[in-house]
Amino acid sequence: MTELLLKYFRTQQKVSPKEKRYDTQCPFCSMQCKMQLVEESIVSRKKYTVIGKDNPTSEGRLCIKGLNAHQHAMHHNRIKYPLRKVNGEFVQISWQEALEHIKENFTSIQKEYGKNALAVYGSASITNEEAYLLGKFARVALQTKYIDYNGRLCMSAAATAANQTFGMDRGLTNSLAEIPYTRVIILAGTNLAECQPTIIPYFEKAKENGAYIIAIDPRETATTKLADLHLKGRPGTDAALANGLLKVILEENLIDESFIQQQVNGFAEVKEYISTLNLEEIAELTGVALEDIQKAGIKFGKEESGMILTARGIEQQTDGTAAVRNFLNILLATGKIGKPYSGYGAITGQGNGQGAREHGQKADQLPGYRSIENEEHRSFIANIWGVEESELPRKGVSAFEMFEKTDEGEIKGMFLMCSNPVMSNPDANFVKRALGKLTFFVAVDMFMSETAKMADIILPTSSYLEDEGTMTNLEGRVILREASKPCPGDVKHDWQIICEIADVLGKGAYFPYKKAEDIFNELRKASKGGIADYSGITYDRLRKEGGILWPCPEENHPGTVRLFEQGFATEDGKAKMTVVTSKPVVPKESISREYPLYLTTGRVMSQYLTGVQTRKSASLSARNFESYIEIHPKTAQEYNLLDNQLVRVESKRGHIVVRSKWSESIRPDTVFVPIHWSGSQNVNKLVGGELDPSCRMPGFKVSAVRIYPFVAE
């Protein structure tokens, strides 16, 4: 009887009992875990199941975000048609109308104010093909120098430090497979357990094999609990802490003299500077016990192999580049690089944080990690693109600086793809005001984000289930994301949108692609001979091999698992140590009687970036439905704050209201607020716009604030 009823309902509602399977990979963090979405029709509804798929990086594991990623892709609030703002309200229009409106406004702006009156703001969540194409679109279709992307706020300090030290930047200098066999690991400013949960088994295996883990963080986290030693330093003092570790290593004569002599420049200058430092003063400055600094330095120096991994905790600071370089000084002094089970890793935050910075979205960059100011590089890319070298713009400015140019009136129009700078940038109130001054603003997004709401035109884009292309994960492993689910409504892929706009601007001949693979094949040619050489990678190889570590210069090349075995990518083949002062060149915001607490920011496991996608998931939002301020009980009592009470948090730039969360795991002089919530909970309203002089990274991790019990007005 039950079978007859089911058959009847299926017949009446014309629902196929067959299931559909969609191969894809998680759209969130840089692990880029492979998975399959199973769609099963049951009577009048659809049931979805997510299955992890074996791959070289995550080995079939998925975290809570990946298991629920499909919920945002199928959310009823998803934008499915082009929208135009008319009298303050968005109305549905056709693609033809949208493209004509873009053509009219982009053309008139550049005619009146010049080519550089238009800017392009990109993303580290789009595919390599789309990142490459966006850079080409800015320089060929718009001929503007103003292009940068949200990855500037994520990886720029680590990337700059690696380039300055090693001559190249890849997420990990080794593969993840080496982590279980290293003897000592420093995790500097990274909360892997919440930000990249599927990576944790590598470290658990390392501990089982006897590895010693040192974690550096002002908070106790799920990651620091994995460590054997937690250095709970004061926010913003990471460069000084590295100097302390290096001084211990030098005093204990734990350096690798042969390695230094053969493969390192600058050691003598660093040694001389370190000799002038006092360990007791470093302990006082950092707030880390002297005996812990000594213990960590000796342990790292003595072991035969070791790895250092950094992330936003030490990188998102106005001396982030210098801090990372100082940890690289430690690696070089001990010779722990370019050999088995020893190396460096920058734990990328966004899904394609590695690949998106390699092929032209950065202000000073051309595909293959080439420089836009290098004449040879310019000529090479101009030839690939079929344009004159003289037609290529020179370098522009960083992401936040583009908003400064907008505020000043130099930038009049903006094309934004898959990013939410109103929430993600520092001094968020300023960024919102600057965007409000634009004459014309186009946003490409899946949802009505806080930034998209400010646009004149919103173009609907495809999700990870629909948009095929390559991504490059935190190892530097290029992976092909299969995506076969049809786009809903009038949704188009990012690369299609770029091509269609280029076409109406009269530049269609330079954008003739019919599928993502066509773009990748051009990217391969454009990257050939560059630092990030993808020329030997093909879609067929990626399907067969599951992923390939670049550089890969030939189709018969296996990919490069371990970098720097035969020297570094510098002109003389040697790495460069540099003196890093314990006090930053650009002073950081200091606490005072008026603003007596350090504010630092970060993530929680259930949310991702500005939460535009993850907050659409009921399963994820149920875990963390609002923001909070983590505060030590003693500090809370000092300011008359109860646990679970609304708190007004103020800096020189603005204020937010969040709920208190007592925790003895944080330093008493520090409070923590996650980054994923908007409006009155947007913590970036409190963060200043000062930038790292080397990489232009804002100082998200150190702000001075004051707190009060919230009183409704």
Side-chain angles (χ1 to χ4, degrees):
M1 184 65 180
T2 303
E3 291 181 2
L4 288 173
L5 283 171
L6 283 173
K7 185 176 181 180
Y8 170 76
F9 283 126
R10 287 170 180 158
T11 302
Q12 292 299 306
Q13 300 190 29
K14 299 180 180 179
V15 175
S16 171
K18 294 182 179 180
E19 65 181 22
K20 297 177 181 177
R21 292 178 176 259
Y22 302 104
D23 290 327
T24 186
Q25 59 202 51
C26 181
F28 299 130
C29 88
S30 55
M31 286 293 283
Q32 283 299 287
C33 304
K34 287 282 189 181
M35 59 191 189
Q36 186 178 74
L37 177 68
V38 181
E39 178 184 283
E40 186 179 1
S41 297
I42 302 176
V43 192
S44 60
R45 67 182 182 88
K46 290 182 179 179
K47 176 185 176 183
Y48 295 98
T49 306
V50 178
I51 302 169
K53 294 187 68 178
D54 191 31
N55 62 90
T57 302
S58 57
E59 300 172 329
R61 295 184 290 272
L62 293 174
C63 79
I64 190 67
K65 287 195 290 290
L67 288 168
N68 291 284
H70 61 283
Q71 292 182 0
H72 81 260
M74 298 171 190
H75 198 273
H76 64 275
N77 282 344
R78 187 168 167 189
I79 299 172
K80 298 179 182 177
Y81 306 91
L83 301 174
R84 179 184 176 187
K85 188 177 287 179
V86 179
N87 297 324
E89 300 291 331
F90 283 104
V91 297
Q92 181 178 324
I93 59 174
S94 68
W95 274 99
Q96 183 178 352
E97 290 176 280
L99 292 169
E100 285 299 321
H101 200 60
I102 293 168
K103 174 187 175 181
E104 177 185 338
N105 282 274
F106 278 6
T107 302
S108 64
I109 286 172
Q110 288 191 317
K111 183 177 181 181
E112 183 171 356
Y113 300 105
K115 299 289 188 184
N116 294 323
L118 291 181
V120 175
Y121 193 102
S123 171
S125 293
I126 58 180
T127 65
N128 288 320
E129 291 81 356
E130 289 156 349
Y132 167 82
L133 210 59
L134 197 59
K136 182 177 180 180
F137 173 77
R139 281 127 185 172
V140 175
L142 299 182
Q143 293 184 302
T144 179
K145 68 179 180 179
Y146 287 131
I147 175 173
D148 212 73
Y149 77 130
N150 62 14
R152 175 75 66 170
L153 315 176
C154 176
M155 293 300 301
S156 58
T160 302
N163 279 318
Q164 291 174 350
T165 304
F166 304 139
M168 69 183 295
D169 152 50
R170 191 182 80 181
L172 269 67
T173 61
N174 314 57
S175 73
L176 288 173
E178 293 194 29
I179 289 174
Y181 306 103
T182 191
R183 298 297 304 156
V184 59
I185 302 168
I186 293 178
L187 300 175
T190 177
N191 186 7
L192 293 166
E194 291 198 72
C195 298
Q196 286 91 7
T198 58
I199 201 176
I200 289 298
Y202 288 103
F203 297 92
E204 292 173 335
K205 289 177 184 176
K207 280 187 70 78
E208 290 173 8
N209 291 336
Y212 190 88
I213 298 179
I214 302 163
I216 300 170
D217 200 308
R219 305 165 59 221
E220 292 175 25
T221 67
T223 304
T224 66
K225 291 175 182 176
L226 182 68
D228 298 281
L229 178 62
H230 178 195
L231 305 182
K232 203 172 185 178
R234 184 175 289 115
T237 62
D238 303 288
L241 180 56
N243 274 332
L245 299 176
L246 195 52
K247 185 170 182 67
V248 171
I249 288 167
L250 289 168
E251 288 184 344
E252 297 291 330
N253 196 30
L254 299 175
I255 62 173
D256 187 331
E257 293 184 3
S258 175
F259 179 86
I260 292 169
Q261 184 177 1
Q262 295 175 24
Q263 299 198 52
V264 177
N265 289 323
F267 174 75
E269 293 82 357
V270 172
K271 182 180 179 181
E272 173 62 26
Y273 172 71
I274 294 295
S275 70
T276 68
L277 300 179
N278 181 285
L279 272 177
E280 287 80 7
E281 291 177 359
I282 290 175
E284 176 66 25
L285 176 63
T286 62
V288 178
L290 175 60
E291 54 268 30
D292 285 343
I293 295 175
Q294 292 172 324
K295 187 176 183 180
I298 291 171
K299 188 65 179 177
F300 192 84
K302 276 189 172 181
E303 291 290 354
E304 62 182 358
S305 63
M307 300 182 76
I308 297 178
L309 289 86
T310 68
R312 307 305 81 72
I314 74 166
E315 297 163 14
Q316 284 184 327
Q317 307 205 32
T318 53
D319 66 342
T321 302
V324 175
R325 288 206 72 177
N326 221 10
F327 280 96
L328 299 184
N329 282 342
I330 294 171
L331 269 185
L332 294 171
T334 57
K336 291 182 171 66
I337 184 91
K339 55 184 67 171
Y341 321 130
S342 293
Y344 170 62
I347 305 298
T348 311
Q350 295 191 63
N352 199 28
Q354 180 68 47
R357 72 176 181 268
E358 296 168 354
H359 299 297
Q361 283 193 102
K362 288 176 71 176
D364 60 350
Q365 196 181 87
L366 290 171
Y369 236 133
R370 290 181 165 89
S371 169
I372 201 165
E373 294 297 309
N374 181 293
E375 301 304 320
E376 182 181 342
H377 294 179
R378 290 171 61 84
S379 295
F380 180 86
I381 296 300
N383 183 60
I384 295 291
W385 288 349
V387 299
E388 294 296 322
E389 179 272 328
S390 59
E391 295 176 359
L392 292 178
R394 294 284 171 170
K395 70 177 180 180
V397 297
S398 70
F400 184 75
E401 289 172 302
M402 288 205 304
F403 296 115
E404 294 179 327
K405 297 289 186 183
T406 303
D407 182 63
E408 295 163 3
E410 185 173 340
I411 292 173
K412 299 290 186 180
M414 184 174 290
F415 179 74
L416 178 140
M417 180 163 277
C418 304
S419 190
N420 191 16
V422 163
M423 274 191 65
S424 62
N425 270 260
D427 203 352
N429 289 325
F430 164 77
V431 171
K432 188 172 183 178
R433 288 197 303 271
L435 281 173
K437 295 182 179 181
L438 288 171
T439 302
F440 186 64
F441 180 26
V442 180
V444 180
D445 212 323
M446 292 173 61
F447 296 102
M448 189 75 70
S449 71
E450 289 77 6
T451 305
K453 289 176 182 176
M454 301 186 68
D456 297 288
I457 296 283
I458 304 177
L459 303 177
T461 187
S462 53
S463 77
Y464 74 105
L465 292 168
E466 302 139 11
D467 188 23
E468 180 183 73
T470 61
M471 311 284 276
T472 306
N473 74 2
L474 81 174
E475 296 176 284
R477 189 184 300 276
V478 184
I479 307 168
L480 177 60
R481 182 177 73 191
E482 306 282 6
S484 57
K485 198 173 192 301
C487 290
D490 281 349
V491 167
K492 295 188 178 184
H493 304 310
D494 292 325
W495 66 266
Q496 291 176 317
I497 294 169
I498 294 169
C499 291
E500 291 188 10
I501 296 175
D503 188 48
V504 298
L505 293 175
K507 301 286 186 173
Y510 300 99
F511 298 82
Y513 320 101
K514 301 301 180 185
K515 58 183 184 296
E517 189 174 4
D518 295 340
I519 306 167
F520 187 74
N521 285 332
E522 183 176 294
L523 180 157
R524 292 171 58 208
K525 295 177 184 177
S527 73
K528 188 172 182 60
I531 292 173
D533 192 334
Y534 285 28
S535 58
I537 303 173
T538 67
Y539 271 33
D540 284 345
R541 283 193 65 186
L542 292 175
R543 286 191 173 105
K544 292 174 184 176
E545 299 174 39
I548 299 170
L549 289 153
W550 69 260
C552 181
E554 304 291 341
E555 288 191 34
N556 60 359
H557 191 284
T560 307
V561 174
R562 187 183 303 122
L563 299 177
F564 313 134
E565 290 184 292
Q566 306 300 322
F568 295 90
T570 54
E571 289 184 4
D572 62 1
K574 291 187 176 183
K576 300 176 182 178
M577 292 182 71
T578 191
V579 171
V580 177
T581 59
S582 290
K583 293 185 179 180
V585 176
V586 178
K588 299 183 182 182
E589 191 166 69
S590 300
I591 57 174
S592 61
R593 289 186 64 184
E594 188 177 7
Y595 297 98
L597 295 171
Y598 293 107
L599 165 70
T600 193
T601 67
R603 305 182 184 189
V604 298
M605 185 185 290
S606 67
Q607 298 296 319
Y608 177 70
L609 300 183
T610 63
V612 173
Q613 295 175 8
T614 48
R615 283 187 278 126
K616 300 296 185 298
S617 166
S619 299
L620 297 176
S621 291
R623 290 171 174 263
N624 294 94
F625 60 88
E626 65 177 354
S627 190
Y628 60 87
I629 179 170
E630 185 177 294
I631 184 169
H632 196 281
K634 289 183 180 179
T635 309
Q637 290 167 359
E638 182 180 346
Y639 291 93
N640 299 312
L641 296 172
L642 302 174
D643 192 17
N644 206 39
Q645 179 180 3
L646 289 178
V647 181
R648 181 182 172 99
V649 190
E650 296 180 355
S651 76
K652 295 176 182 178
R653 290 154 293 276
H655 70 273
I656 61 172
V657 177
V658 288
R659 196 171 300 279
S660 64
K661 181 180 179 181
W662 285 18
S663 173
E664 293 185 351
S665 67
I666 194 166
R667 290 175 56 93
D669 61 359
T670 303
V671 293
F672 167 84
V673 179
I675 64 173
H676 314 290
W677 283 271
S678 62
S680 63
Q681 296 183 319
N682 181 5
V683 69
N684 284 331
K685 290 180 178 180
L686 309 181
V687 176
E690 295 79 16
L691 305 175
D692 181 312
S694 295
C695 69
R696 317 311 287 164
M697 168 76 84
F700 291 102
K701 297 305 184 194
V702 183
S703 303
V705 298
R706 59 191 178 200
I707 56 177
Y708 307 98
F710 173 71
V711 178
E713 297 178 358

